[in-house]
Amino acid sequence: TATVLGAMLPEGPDDLALLRQTSLALLAGEARSSEAPGEKDLQLRALMLGVGPVEQFIPLALNFKEASGKTSLDINAVISALQHALVGSPDPAFACALRGRETGILLCLAKTEDLEDTLSGLHARIGSALAGSGVGDRWTLGVGTGSNSFGEAALGGLDDASRVAHSASSMNH
C-alpha cells in the first residue's frame, strides 16, 4: 500500500518518506508538550511511521549563529533541508523544531555498536544539507545522552543536546 500511495504523490515515494519525517517531528513535539502521550503510545506511533525496533534514540541539536548583514534564518527551510538529507540516512533520523535558532534531530538506532561512525556520517549529511540551504558553517552540533525511551530522548535528551550545542557555539574557536 505504501508503494501505491507513494506512486500517487507528485514526487512519488520521496514525498511519502518526507511525510513520515514530518509526522515523526510532530510526534517529537507532542512528546515535548505538557500533554505528552505515554511511552508505549509514542513507541507504537513511531513504529507505525516506519521506525523499526530501536535500541537507542540519540538526541542531537543544532544551534545556528546569526550572520552579520544577513536576513533572519528561516528555520522551517532549514528543517526541510535537513528532512530531505535525513530521508536517505542508513539509520532512521528526523529533524524537529526546538526553540529560537535551534533544531533537534532524533537518531533512531537499532544497534549502537558503531555510534561514532554513525554520528560522523550523520554530521557529513547535515553539513551538506546546511551548506545547500545557505547556512554554511555557522552552526554547531550538540549530542545528548541516548535513551531507549522516545519520550525521554525527545524531552530531556534534546534539551541536553541543545545545551551542548549552545555551549559549543559560545566558545571562541
Side-chain angles (χ1 to χ4, degrees):
T1 52
T3 307
V4 173
L5 180 58
M8 296 169 56
L9 297 168
E11 297 296 320
D14 286 345
D15 277 352
L16 188 57
L18 289 171
L19 285 171
R20 281 188 186 125
Q21 293 277 337
T22 301
S23 296
L24 285 164
L26 291 171
L27 185 60
E30 250 185 89
R32 294 178 60 78
S33 76
S34 60
E35 297 177 15
E39 182 61 27
K40 285 183 180 180
D41 186 38
L42 290 168
Q43 295 255 358
L44 177 62
R45 289 168 60 192
L47 187 64
M48 289 174 21
L49 290 168
V51 174
V54 173
E55 183 177 308
Q56 200 167 42
F57 296 96
I58 308 293
L60 301 101
L62 294 135
N63 181 283
F64 301 99
K65 297 178 185 176
E66 194 159 340
S68 57
K70 290 271 186 173
T71 58
S72 65
L73 179 70
D74 182 354
I75 202 73
N76 290 325
V78 169
I79 290 173
S80 178
L82 289 169
Q83 295 290 39
H84 279 84
L86 296 172
V87 162
S89 182
D91 295 292
F94 60 93
C96 57
L98 290 180
R99 61 191 158 274
R101 304 178 64 77
E102 294 181 329
T103 300
I105 296 176
L106 276 182
L107 174 61
C108 311
L109 294 178
K111 297 187 184 269
T112 56
E113 329 174 313
D114 298 323
L115 183 57
E116 192 171 321
D117 290 340
T118 301
L119 289 174
S120 178
L122 188 61
H123 186 270
R125 276 182 182 276
I126 291 168
S128 294
L130 294 178
S133 71
V135 173
D137 62 355
R138 298 180 323 272
W139 57 279
T140 53
L141 177 68
V143 180
T145 303
S147 174
N148 63 354
S149 163
F150 185 98
E152 189 175 309
L155 184 56
L158 284 173
D159 287 345
D160 289 345
S162 176
R163 282 189 285 279
V164 171
H166 187 276
S167 295
S169 71
S170 66
M171 292 181 172
N172 222 355
H173 296 308

